[in-house]
Amino acid sequence: QVQLQESGPGLVKPSETLSLTCTVSGGSITSHYWSWIRQYPGKGLEWIGYIYYSGSTNYNPSLKSRVTISVDTSKKQFSLKLSSVTAADTAVYYCARGVEEVNYWGQGTLVAVSS
Amino acid sequence: QVVLTQSPSASASLGASVKLTCTLSSGHSSYAIAWHQQQPEKGPHYLMKLNNDGSHNKGGGIPDRFSGSSSGAERYLIISSLQSEDEADYYCQTWDTGIQVFGGGTKLTVL
């Protein structure tokens, strides 16, 4: 059974860069697409972007200028960097598998943006 | 770009059946979607992929009580023999030219 686990700071200061890592276990990281999705406190879900194991990426146009997703297949990890954060970036961040239907989700990690 | 519309809330009695609806925006009625369940204080969990012809592929371990169907631009999640643990938020999701899109979610209350 594929399992995904997010890790990273739970608090980030405004204007700084949010960094999260997702570790994949129970399955291969190769031949799959890996996504980052966030959920606002009011419950809406927003797709951030995805990466193929080979390194090709696609980002939400609304976040593209601030987002970088990378992958390290040797560690079975992929990562998210979101720059110049504001309070509006406060959310639960999920890593997930899939470029069409998302068929595996991590448990999520809350990231608050505050000074 | 495709938009998914869901009713904010639904309710049904314990042991009854309920049908939740996800509507695709105009011009996108052929799209497949996925259904996800989010129980309170938990992350979302994949239920199934639902095609425009009503065929669906469920995730591992999803009970037979969960099924899907389609009609035109509408995609349905049908839950039969409702149990208390089915009380959750249900989200539909689709994809279009490399972009993933989510509906606003339906909060299901089991009475």
Side-chain angles (χ1 to χ4, degrees), chain A residues 2-53:
Chain A
V2 174
Q3 292 187 312
L4 306 174
Q5 180 66 60
E6 305 88 352
S7 59
L11 181 64
V12 181
K13 290 182 168 54
S15 79
E16 295 189 344
T17 296
L18 178 160
S19 295
L20 296 173
T21 296
C22 182
T23 302
V24 179
S25 60
S28 175
I29 196 169
T30 59
S31 302
H32 290 290
Y33 287 83
W34 303 94
S35 295
W36 286 98
I37 296 160
R38 65 183 180 181
Q39 185 169 33
Y40 298 109
K43 94 174 180 181
L45 290 162
E46 180 179 43
W47 171 70
I48 298 170
Y50 62 67
I51 188 164
Y52 193 44
Y53 79 100

Short mmCIF file of all heavy atoms in Angstrom, two decimals, chain A residues 2-53:
data_model
loop_
_atom_site.label_atom_id
_atom_site.label_comp_id
_atom_site.label_asym_id
_atom_site.label_seq_id
_atom_site.Cartn_x
_atom_site.Cartn_y
_atom_site.Cartn_z
N VAL A 2 0.68 2.09 -0.98
CA VAL A 2 1.47 3.32 -1.08
C VAL A 2 1.11 4.25 0.07
O VAL A 2 -0.07 4.45 0.39
CB VAL A 2 1.19 4.02 -2.44
CG1 VAL A 2 1.89 5.36 -2.49
CG2 VAL A 2 1.64 3.10 -3.58
N GLN A 3 2.13 4.80 0.68
CA GLN A 3 1.92 5.79 1.75
C GLN A 3 2.76 7.02 1.46
O GLN A 3 3.90 6.92 0.98
CB GLN A 3 2.28 5.20 3.11
CG GLN A 3 1.33 4.11 3.56
CD GLN A 3 1.60 3.66 4.98
OE1 GLN A 3 2.74 3.40 5.36
NE2 GLN A 3 0.55 3.58 5.79
N LEU A 4 2.18 8.18 1.74
CA LEU A 4 2.85 9.47 1.53
C LEU A 4 2.89 10.22 2.85
O LEU A 4 1.88 10.25 3.58
CB LEU A 4 2.08 10.29 0.48
CG LEU A 4 1.81 9.61 -0.86
CD1 LEU A 4 0.92 10.48 -1.72
CD2 LEU A 4 3.11 9.33 -1.57
N GLN A 5 4.03 10.82 3.15
CA GLN A 5 4.18 11.54 4.41
C GLN A 5 4.84 12.89 4.16
O GLN A 5 6.00 12.95 3.70
CB GLN A 5 5.02 10.73 5.39
CG GLN A 5 5.24 11.40 6.73
CD GLN A 5 3.95 11.57 7.51
OE1 GLN A 5 3.27 10.61 7.84
NE2 GLN A 5 3.60 12.82 7.81
N GLU A 6 4.13 13.96 4.51
CA GLU A 6 4.67 15.30 4.38
C GLU A 6 5.51 15.65 5.60
O GLU A 6 5.21 15.20 6.72
CB GLU A 6 3.55 16.34 4.26
CG GLU A 6 2.56 16.11 3.14
CD GLU A 6 1.39 15.22 3.54
OE1 GLU A 6 1.43 14.65 4.64
OE2 GLU A 6 0.43 15.10 2.75
N SER A 7 6.52 16.48 5.39
CA SER A 7 7.33 16.96 6.51
C SER A 7 7.83 18.36 6.17
O SER A 7 8.03 18.70 5.00
CB SER A 7 8.51 16.03 6.78
OG SER A 7 9.34 15.90 5.65
N GLY A 8 8.05 19.15 7.24
CA GLY A 8 8.53 20.51 7.05
C GLY A 8 8.03 21.41 8.15
O GLY A 8 7.21 21.00 8.98
N PRO A 9 8.50 22.66 8.18
CA PRO A 9 8.10 23.60 9.24
C PRO A 9 6.61 23.89 9.22
O PRO A 9 6.00 23.98 8.14
CB PRO A 9 8.91 24.87 8.89
CG PRO A 9 10.00 24.41 8.00
CD PRO A 9 9.47 23.23 7.25
N GLY A 10 6.03 24.03 10.40
CA GLY A 10 4.62 24.35 10.52
C GLY A 10 4.35 25.84 10.57
O GLY A 10 3.20 26.26 10.55
N LEU A 11 5.41 26.63 10.65
CA LEU A 11 5.28 28.08 10.74
C LEU A 11 6.32 28.74 9.85
O LEU A 11 7.51 28.40 9.93
CB LEU A 11 5.44 28.55 12.18
CG LEU A 11 5.29 30.04 12.45
CD1 LEU A 11 3.88 30.51 12.13
CD2 LEU A 11 5.65 30.35 13.91
N VAL A 12 5.86 29.64 9.01
CA VAL A 12 6.76 30.36 8.10
C VAL A 12 6.45 31.85 8.21
O VAL A 12 5.27 32.23 8.32
CB VAL A 12 6.56 29.89 6.64
CG1 VAL A 12 7.52 30.63 5.69
CG2 VAL A 12 6.77 28.37 6.53
N LYS A 13 7.48 32.66 8.17
CA LYS A 13 7.27 34.11 8.26
C LYS A 13 6.86 34.68 6.91
O LYS A 13 7.27 34.18 5.85
CB LYS A 13 8.54 34.79 8.76
CG LYS A 13 8.88 34.52 10.22
CD LYS A 13 10.12 35.29 10.64
CE LYS A 13 10.32 35.28 12.14
NZ LYS A 13 10.32 33.93 12.72
N PRO A 14 6.07 35.75 6.94
CA PRO A 14 5.70 36.41 5.67
C PRO A 14 6.93 36.82 4.88
O PRO A 14 7.95 37.22 5.46
CB PRO A 14 4.91 37.63 6.15
CG PRO A 14 4.38 37.25 7.49
CD PRO A 14 5.42 36.36 8.10
N SER A 15 6.83 36.69 3.58
CA SER A 15 7.86 37.01 2.58
C SER A 15 8.93 35.91 2.47
O SER A 15 9.75 35.96 1.54
CB SER A 15 8.54 38.36 2.86
OG SER A 15 9.51 38.25 3.88
N GLU A 16 8.92 34.93 3.37
CA GLU A 16 9.91 33.86 3.29
C GLU A 16 9.42 32.72 2.38
O GLU A 16 8.36 32.82 1.77
CB GLU A 16 10.27 33.37 4.68
CG GLU A 16 10.96 34.44 5.52
CD GLU A 16 11.51 33.92 6.83
OE1 GLU A 16 11.12 32.81 7.26
OE2 GLU A 16 12.33 34.64 7.43
N THR A 17 10.21 31.66 2.30
CA THR A 17 9.89 30.54 1.43
C THR A 17 9.42 29.34 2.23
O THR A 17 10.10 28.91 3.18
CB THR A 17 11.11 30.14 0.57
OG1 THR A 17 11.43 31.22 -0.31
CG2 THR A 17 10.80 28.90 -0.27
N LEU A 18 8.28 28.83 1.86
CA LEU A 18 7.72 27.62 2.45
C LEU A 18 8.38 26.42 1.77
O LEU A 18 8.44 26.35 0.53
CB LEU A 18 6.21 27.61 2.21
CG LEU A 18 5.31 26.46 2.67
CD1 LEU A 18 3.86 26.95 2.73
CD2 LEU A 18 5.40 25.27 1.73
N SER A 19 8.88 25.47 2.57
CA SER A 19 9.52 24.28 2.01
C SER A 19 8.96 23.03 2.67
O SER A 19 8.99 22.91 3.90
CB SER A 19 11.04 24.33 2.24
OG SER A 19 11.62 25.41 1.54
N LEU A 20 8.48 22.11 1.86
CA LEU A 20 7.94 20.85 2.34
C LEU A 20 8.52 19.70 1.52
O LEU A 20 8.82 19.85 0.34
CB LEU A 20 6.42 20.83 2.23
CG LEU A 20 5.63 21.82 3.08
CD1 LEU A 20 4.15 21.76 2.73
CD2 LEU A 20 5.84 21.55 4.57
N THR A 21 8.61 18.55 2.17
CA THR A 21 9.08 17.33 1.51
C THR A 21 8.05 16.23 1.72
O THR A 21 7.43 16.15 2.78
CB THR A 21 10.44 16.89 2.07
OG1 THR A 21 11.41 17.89 1.75
CG2 THR A 21 10.89 15.56 1.47
N CYS A 22 7.88 15.40 0.72
CA CYS A 22 6.99 14.25 0.79
C CYS A 22 7.81 12.98 0.56
O CYS A 22 8.54 12.87 -0.43
CB CYS A 22 5.90 14.35 -0.26
SG CYS A 22 4.70 13.00 -0.24
N THR A 23 7.68 12.05 1.48
CA THR A 23 8.39 10.77 1.37
C THR A 23 7.41 9.68 0.97
O THR A 23 6.35 9.54 1.59
CB THR A 23 9.06 10.41 2.69
OG1 THR A 23 9.98 11.45 3.06
CG2 THR A 23 9.84 9.10 2.57
N VAL A 24 7.77 8.93 -0.06
CA VAL A 24 6.92 7.88 -0.61
C VAL A 24 7.40 6.53 -0.07
O VAL A 24 8.59 6.21 -0.14
CB VAL A 24 6.98 7.88 -2.14
CG1 VAL A 24 6.11 6.76 -2.72
CG2 VAL A 24 6.56 9.22 -2.70
N SER A 25 6.48 5.74 0.44
CA SER A 25 6.83 4.39 0.89
C SER A 25 5.77 3.41 0.40
O SER A 25 4.66 3.79 0.05
CB SER A 25 6.94 4.33 2.41
OG SER A 25 5.73 4.69 3.02
N GLY A 26 6.15 2.12 0.37
CA GLY A 26 5.21 1.09 -0.02
C GLY A 26 4.99 0.97 -1.51
O GLY A 26 4.11 0.22 -1.95
N GLY A 27 5.76 1.69 -2.30
CA GLY A 27 5.61 1.63 -3.75
C GLY A 27 6.72 2.40 -4.41
O GLY A 27 7.52 3.08 -3.76
N SER A 28 6.76 2.33 -5.72
CA SER A 28 7.82 2.99 -6.48
C SER A 28 7.49 4.45 -6.74
O SER A 28 6.33 4.82 -6.92
CB SER A 28 8.00 2.26 -7.82
OG SER A 28 8.94 2.95 -8.62
N ILE A 29 8.53 5.28 -6.76
CA ILE A 29 8.32 6.68 -7.12
C ILE A 29 8.43 6.87 -8.64
O ILE A 29 7.96 7.87 -9.19
CB ILE A 29 9.32 7.61 -6.38
CG1 ILE A 29 8.84 9.07 -6.44
CG2 ILE A 29 10.73 7.44 -6.94
CD1 ILE A 29 9.61 10.02 -5.54
N THR A 30 9.00 5.88 -9.31
CA THR A 30 9.17 5.98 -10.75
C THR A 30 7.87 5.64 -11.48
O THR A 30 6.99 4.98 -10.92
CB THR A 30 10.30 5.06 -11.24
OG1 THR A 30 9.97 3.71 -10.87
CG2 THR A 30 11.63 5.44 -10.62
N SER A 31 7.77 6.14 -12.69
CA SER A 31 6.61 5.91 -13.55
C SER A 31 5.32 6.49 -12.99
O SER A 31 4.23 6.01 -13.32
CB SER A 31 6.43 4.41 -13.83
OG SER A 31 7.57 3.87 -14.44
N HIS A 32 5.42 7.48 -12.13
CA HIS A 32 4.22 8.13 -11.59
C HIS A 32 4.41 9.64 -11.54
O HIS A 32 5.53 10.15 -11.53
CB HIS A 32 3.92 7.64 -10.18
CG HIS A 32 3.45 6.22 -10.11
ND1 HIS A 32 2.22 5.82 -10.58
CD2 HIS A 32 4.06 5.11 -9.64
CE1 HIS A 32 2.09 4.51 -10.41
NE2 HIS A 32 3.19 4.06 -9.84
N TYR A 33 3.27 10.33 -11.50
CA TYR A 33 3.25 11.76 -11.28
C TYR A 33 2.92 12.03 -9.82
O TYR A 33 2.10 11.32 -9.22
CB TYR A 33 2.18 12.43 -12.16
CG TYR A 33 2.52 12.52 -13.62
CD1 TYR A 33 2.30 11.44 -14.47
CD2 TYR A 33 3.04 13.69 -14.17
CE1 TYR A 33 2.60 11.52 -15.83
CE2 TYR A 33 3.34 13.79 -15.52
CZ TYR A 33 3.12 12.70 -16.34
OH TYR A 33 3.41 12.78 -17.67
N TRP A 34 3.53 13.08 -9.28
CA TRP A 34 3.39 13.40 -7.86
C TRP A 34 2.97 14.86 -7.72
O TRP A 34 3.57 15.74 -8.32
CB TRP A 34 4.70 13.12 -7.14
CG TRP A 34 5.13 11.69 -7.35
CD1 TRP A 34 5.98 11.23 -8.31
CD2 TRP A 34 4.67 10.55 -6.63
NE1 TRP A 34 6.08 9.86 -8.22
CE2 TRP A 34 5.29 9.42 -7.19
CE3 TRP A 34 3.79 10.37 -5.54
CZ2 TRP A 34 5.07 8.12 -6.72
CZ3 TRP A 34 3.57 9.08 -5.07
CH2 TRP A 34 4.20 7.98 -5.65
N SER A 35 1.93 15.07 -6.91
CA SER A 35 1.30 16.39 -6.83
C SER A 35 1.40 17.01 -5.44
O SER A 35 1.58 16.30 -4.43
CB SER A 35 -0.19 16.27 -7.18
OG SER A 35 -0.40 15.89 -8.52
N TRP A 36 1.26 18.31 -5.43
CA TRP A 36 1.03 19.05 -4.18
C TRP A 36 -0.33 19.74 -4.30
O TRP A 36 -0.63 20.36 -5.34
CB TRP A 36 2.13 20.07 -3.93
CG TRP A 36 3.43 19.46 -3.49
CD1 TRP A 36 4.51 19.18 -4.26
CD2 TRP A 36 3.76 19.04 -2.16
NE1 TRP A 36 5.50 18.60 -3.49
CE2 TRP A 36 5.07 18.51 -2.21
CE3 TRP A 36 3.09 19.05 -0.93
CZ2 TRP A 36 5.72 18.01 -1.07
CZ3 TRP A 36 3.73 18.55 0.19
CH2 TRP A 36 5.03 18.04 0.12
N ILE A 37 -1.11 19.64 -3.25
CA ILE A 37 -2.46 20.21 -3.19
C ILE A 37 -2.60 20.85 -1.82
O ILE A 37 -2.08 20.32 -0.82
CB ILE A 37 -3.51 19.10 -3.38
CG1 ILE A 37 -3.39 18.49 -4.78
CG2 ILE A 37 -4.93 19.63 -3.16
CD1 ILE A 37 -4.03 17.11 -4.90
N ARG A 38 -3.29 21.97 -1.73
CA ARG A 38 -3.50 22.57 -0.43
C ARG A 38 -4.98 22.79 -0.15
O ARG A 38 -5.79 22.88 -1.07
CB ARG A 38 -2.71 23.88 -0.29
CG ARG A 38 -3.14 25.01 -1.19
CD ARG A 38 -2.20 26.20 -0.98
NE ARG A 38 -2.55 27.34 -1.83
CZ ARG A 38 -1.88 28.50 -1.85
NH1 ARG A 38 -0.82 28.64 -1.06
NH2 ARG A 38 -2.28 29.48 -2.63
N GLN A 39 -5.29 22.87 1.13
CA GLN A 39 -6.68 23.05 1.57
C GLN A 39 -6.73 24.21 2.54
O GLN A 39 -6.12 24.18 3.61
CB GLN A 39 -7.22 21.78 2.22
CG GLN A 39 -8.69 21.86 2.57
CD GLN A 39 -9.26 20.50 2.95
OE1 GLN A 39 -8.58 19.65 3.52
NE2 GLN A 39 -10.52 20.27 2.63
N TYR A 40 -7.51 25.21 2.17
CA TYR A 40 -7.66 26.38 3.01
C TYR A 40 -8.50 26.05 4.23
O TYR A 40 -9.31 25.12 4.22
CB TYR A 40 -8.29 27.51 2.21
CG TYR A 40 -7.45 27.95 1.04
CD1 TYR A 40 -7.83 27.67 -0.26
CD2 TYR A 40 -6.24 28.62 1.24
CE1 TYR A 40 -7.05 28.06 -1.33
CE2 TYR A 40 -5.46 29.02 0.17
CZ TYR A 40 -5.86 28.74 -1.11
OH TYR A 40 -5.09 29.11 -2.18
N PRO A 41 -8.39 26.89 5.28
CA PRO A 41 -9.20 26.67 6.49
C PRO A 41 -10.68 26.59 6.21
O PRO A 41 -11.41 25.91 6.90
CB PRO A 41 -8.84 27.89 7.35
CG PRO A 41 -7.45 28.25 6.93
CD PRO A 41 -7.38 27.96 5.45
N GLY A 42 -11.15 27.26 5.17
CA GLY A 42 -12.56 27.20 4.81
C GLY A 42 -12.94 25.96 4.03
O GLY A 42 -14.09 25.79 3.63
N LYS A 43 -11.97 25.08 3.80
CA LYS A 43 -12.08 23.73 3.24
C LYS A 43 -11.85 23.58 1.75
O LYS A 43 -11.70 22.46 1.28
CB LYS A 43 -13.39 23.03 3.63
CG LYS A 43 -14.56 23.15 2.65
CD LYS A 43 -15.72 22.28 3.11
CE LYS A 43 -16.89 22.38 2.14
NZ LYS A 43 -18.03 21.57 2.56
N GLY A 44 -11.79 24.65 0.94
CA GLY A 44 -11.55 24.48 -0.49
C GLY A 44 -10.20 23.87 -0.79
O GLY A 44 -9.20 24.17 -0.12
N LEU A 45 -10.15 23.03 -1.82
CA LEU A 45 -8.92 22.38 -2.26
C LEU A 45 -8.37 23.09 -3.49
O LEU A 45 -9.12 23.40 -4.42
CB LEU A 45 -9.18 20.91 -2.60
CG LEU A 45 -9.48 19.99 -1.42
CD1 LEU A 45 -10.13 18.70 -1.90
CD2 LEU A 45 -8.20 19.69 -0.65
N GLU A 46 -7.06 23.30 -3.51
CA GLU A 46 -6.40 23.96 -4.63
C GLU A 46 -5.18 23.15 -5.06
O GLU A 46 -4.29 22.87 -4.25
CB GLU A 46 -5.95 25.38 -4.26
CG GLU A 46 -5.26 26.11 -5.41
CD GLU A 46 -4.83 27.51 -5.04
OE1 GLU A 46 -4.31 27.70 -3.93
OE2 GLU A 46 -5.00 28.43 -5.87
N TRP A 47 -5.16 22.78 -6.33
CA TRP A 47 -4.01 22.09 -6.89
C TRP A 47 -2.86 23.08 -7.07
O TRP A 47 -3.05 24.16 -7.63
CB TRP A 47 -4.38 21.45 -8.23
CG TRP A 47 -3.24 20.90 -8.99
CD1 TRP A 47 -2.50 19.80 -8.70
CD2 TRP A 47 -2.68 21.43 -10.20
NE1 TRP A 47 -1.51 19.61 -9.64
CE2 TRP A 47 -1.61 20.59 -10.58
CE3 TRP A 47 -2.97 22.53 -11.00
CZ2 TRP A 47 -0.84 20.82 -11.71
CZ3 TRP A 47 -2.22 22.76 -12.13
CH2 TRP A 47 -1.16 21.91 -12.48
N ILE A 48 -1.66 22.70 -6.61
CA ILE A 48 -0.49 23.57 -6.70
C ILE A 48 0.36 23.22 -7.92
O ILE A 48 0.80 24.09 -8.66
CB ILE A 48 0.36 23.46 -5.43
CG1 ILE A 48 -0.45 23.92 -4.21
CG2 ILE A 48 1.65 24.27 -5.56
CD1 ILE A 48 0.22 23.62 -2.88
N GLY A 49 0.58 21.93 -8.12
CA GLY A 49 1.39 21.50 -9.24
C GLY A 49 1.78 20.05 -9.12
O GLY A 49 1.49 19.40 -8.11
N TYR A 50 2.43 19.51 -10.17
CA TYR A 50 2.89 18.14 -10.10
C TYR A 50 4.23 17.98 -10.80
O TYR A 50 4.66 18.85 -11.55
CB TYR A 50 1.86 17.16 -10.67
CG TYR A 50 1.51 17.33 -12.14
CD1 TYR A 50 2.42 17.08 -13.15
CD2 TYR A 50 0.23 17.72 -12.51
CE1 TYR A 50 2.08 17.23 -14.49
CE2 TYR A 50 -0.13 17.87 -13.85
CZ TYR A 50 0.79 17.62 -14.82
OH TYR A 50 0.44 17.77 -16.14
N ILE A 51 4.87 16.87 -10.50
CA ILE A 51 6.14 16.53 -11.11
C ILE A 51 6.12 15.06 -11.52
O ILE A 51 5.57 14.22 -10.81
CB ILE A 51 7.31 16.83 -10.14
CG1 ILE A 51 8.66 16.67 -10.87
CG2 ILE A 51 7.26 15.96 -8.89
CD1 ILE A 51 9.82 17.31 -10.10
N TYR A 52 6.69 14.76 -12.65
CA TYR A 52 6.89 13.39 -13.08
C TYR A 52 8.21 12.92 -12.49
O TYR A 52 9.08 13.76 -12.20
CB TYR A 52 6.91 13.31 -14.59
CG TYR A 52 6.80 11.92 -15.18
CD1 TYR A 52 5.88 11.00 -14.69
CD2 TYR A 52 7.61 11.54 -16.24
CE1 TYR A 52 5.79 9.74 -15.25
CE2 TYR A 52 7.52 10.28 -16.81
CZ TYR A 52 6.61 9.38 -16.30
OH TYR A 52 6.51 8.13 -16.85
N TYR A 53 8.38 11.63 -12.30
CA TYR A 53 9.60 11.14 -11.67
C TYR A 53 10.85 11.54 -12.46
O TYR A 53 11.94 11.65 -11.90
CB TYR A 53 9.54 9.62 -11.51
CG TYR A 53 9.84 8.84 -12.77
CD1 TYR A 53 11.09 8.29 -12.98
CD2 TYR A 53 8.87 8.68 -13.75
CE1 TYR A 53 11.37 7.57 -14.13
CE2 TYR A 53 9.14 7.97 -14.90
CZ TYR A 53 10.39 7.42 -15.10
OH TYR A 53 10.67 6.73 -16.26
#
